[in-house]
């Protein structure tokens, strides 16, 4: 099944991004339509109010955005490298316990690949929602990614 297999994407990110291993992120779902990652409740990554630190929340959300980028564009890795360009984060409620990030692509895969095919360096937004165990939204992110073509 290639890059759309959850273990392949998760294993690849864990192997290449040390913070994924450090935070012990769990890959619940990774496919081109949706990526869901979970950050277990770990006191070592708590803030002053006993919930996950904002930096840990950011890493969870950014990692979810990377997982969907790999799942959606893994078949383009031979010619382009997915890279985050910028991110905007909003912390909405105090996060507590285990938190979950759900990422969705903001543009159709075919449109992004068509731009790459035409010689451009496409950008695409990934929307991320971070929820608490009670279902309340603790934070939201928009991470803009690019497919950077390999140059000789």
């Amino acid at each position: 099944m290639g890059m759309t297999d959850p273990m392949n994407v998760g294993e690849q990110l864990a192997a290449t991004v040390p913070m994924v291993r450090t935070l012990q992120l769990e890959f619940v779902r990774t496919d081109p339509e949706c990526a869901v990652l979970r950050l277990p409740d770990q006191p070592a990554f708590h803030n002053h109010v006993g919930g996950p630190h904002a930096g840990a929340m950011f890493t969870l959300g950014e990692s979810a955005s990377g997982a969907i980028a790999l799942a959606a564009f893994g078949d383009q890795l031979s010619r382009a490298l997915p890279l985050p360009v910028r991110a905007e984060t909003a912390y909405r409620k105090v996060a507590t316990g285990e938190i979950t990030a759900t990422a969705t692509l903001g543009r159709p895969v075919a449109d992004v690949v068509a731009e790459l095919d035409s010689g451009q360096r496409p950008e695409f937004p990934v929307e991320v929602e971070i929820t608490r165990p009670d279902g309340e939204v603790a934070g939201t992110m928009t991470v803009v990614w690019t497919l950077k073509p390999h140059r000789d």
Side-chain angles (χ1 to χ4, degrees):
M1 220 167 149
M3 290 303 299
T4 60
D5 178 49
M7 291 308 295
N8 285 347
V9 170
E11 287 171 1
Q12 183 170 357
L13 283 174
T16 58
V17 183
M19 279 300 291
V20 169
R21 294 190 307 275
T22 298
L23 291 178
Q24 300 175 30
L25 300 183
E26 300 169 359
F27 292 80
V28 178
R29 174 181 173 189
T30 52
D31 59 54
E33 285 74 46
C34 182
V36 180
L37 275 66
R38 193 167 27 238
L39 173 65
D41 187 20
Q42 301 168 81
F45 303 116
H46 281 179
N47 58 20
H48 60 290
V49 294
H53 188 276
M57 288 178 63
F58 179 89
T59 301
L60 172 67
E62 195 274 344
S63 297
S65 76
I68 199 169
L70 272 178
F73 301 106
D75 59 343
Q76 303 299 319
L77 292 177
S78 65
R79 65 185 185 135
L81 179 65
L83 293 171
V85 177
R86 61 188 170 277
E88 184 176 326
T89 307
Y91 300 101
R92 299 179 182 246
K93 291 186 183 273
V94 174
T96 54
E98 176 181 270
I99 56 172
T100 302
T102 302
T104 55
L105 281 180
R107 291 185 64 199
V109 171
D111 291 356
V112 175
V113 172
E115 283 185 18
L116 186 63
D117 288 342
S118 73
Q120 297 179 58
R121 181 174 169 170
E123 290 188 357
F124 56 94
V126 177
E127 301 299 329
V128 182
E129 192 172 79
I130 300 171
T131 54
R132 306 185 309 197
D134 64 4
E136 290 289 320
V137 176
T140 57
M141 294 178 73
T142 301
V143 183
V144 176
W145 285 76
T146 189
L147 294 180
K148 180 180 181 288
H150 299 310
R151 302 283 187 226
D152 294 339

